[in-house]
Amino acid sequence: MNRTSVLNGKSKAVLAAVMAGMLCMLAAWFTGRITHPDLVVRHEAPQNQTAEEAMPGMRMSPEIGKLMEAVGKNPMDGAALYHLAQHLVQENRYDAAENFIARAVAIEPHNPDRLYLLGVVQHNLNKNAEAAATLEQVAALNNDPSVRYSLGILYIYYLNQPDRGYGHLRQALAHEDTPADLKKSIADELAKETSSKQ
């Protein structure tokens, strides 16, 4: 037996194995189509029906539509992702907002504005421990008194860590750029701490 016939025999065996595998995959796909017809049902809007009429629960503002189009054209457009998440938050669509703002943060992980919005969304989804961790990152990047105030409220009222929360409130109160109205809110919260210890 010469070398060429051995190679042809091996080649034929490999080809037969590949073909058998493809036939198995095709059979599995066909069986799935028969046993799970819901996978192939198409929901097409009748002619002259708008996308909003076809999906009544999925109405979107023109601004969201434009931003979705921009993100579709360039999925790495962090600014469009951020603005899209902002608009979704305004419409209380936090699940969708979380997806887009998380993508914006992944593109620019040290952007405090994007991180802050992610923390707000996480809080509104009752992911308060995650929200606190995100806002801690913001505070480390940008010692903003409003972020410290948000952290204080999160720790006191949502995470049962009042000492940590009041610590953030004191830092916010001591910050030189804290606006007067925020100082009053912080002072009111700190007064609650004092009265609770008496």
Side-chain angles (χ1 to χ4, degrees), residues 92-152:
N92 300 319
R93 293 165 71 177
Y94 297 108
D95 285 324
E98 183 183 32
N99 174 39
F100 292 111
I101 192 58
R103 287 167 55 190
V105 168
I107 291 166
E108 197 175 335
H110 301 295
N111 183 310
D113 293 333
R114 294 179 190 184
L115 281 166
Y116 185 77
L117 184 59
L118 177 59
V120 169
V121 168
Q122 288 168 331
H123 167 65
N124 280 284
L125 291 171
N126 293 317
K127 298 178 179 181
N128 293 307
E130 291 176 41
T134 301
L135 292 180
E136 289 282 8
Q137 291 178 58
V138 179
L141 290 167
N142 180 11
N143 188 23
D144 186 308
S146 62
V147 174
R148 296 274 179 200
Y149 177 76
S150 297
L151 275 165

Side-chain angles (χ1 to χ4, degrees), residues 12-25:
K12 287 178 185 176
V14 169
L15 183 60
V18 169
M19 291 300 290
M22 290 180 73
L23 285 171
C24 288
M25 287 172 50

Side-chain angles (χ1 to χ4, degrees), residues 45 49-63 65 93:
Q49 187 178 31
T50 66
E52 288 185 354
E53 291 168 337
M55 299 180 294
M58 298 297 289
R59 294 184 186 271
M60 60 179 79
S61 69
E63 194 60 38
R93 293 165 71 177

Side-chain angles (χ1 to χ4, degrees), residues 40-55:
V40 295
V41 174
R42 292 177 193 258
H43 299 283
E44 294 182 16
Q47 288 186 346
N48 301 324
Q49 187 178 31
T50 66
E52 288 185 354
E53 291 168 337
M55 299 180 294

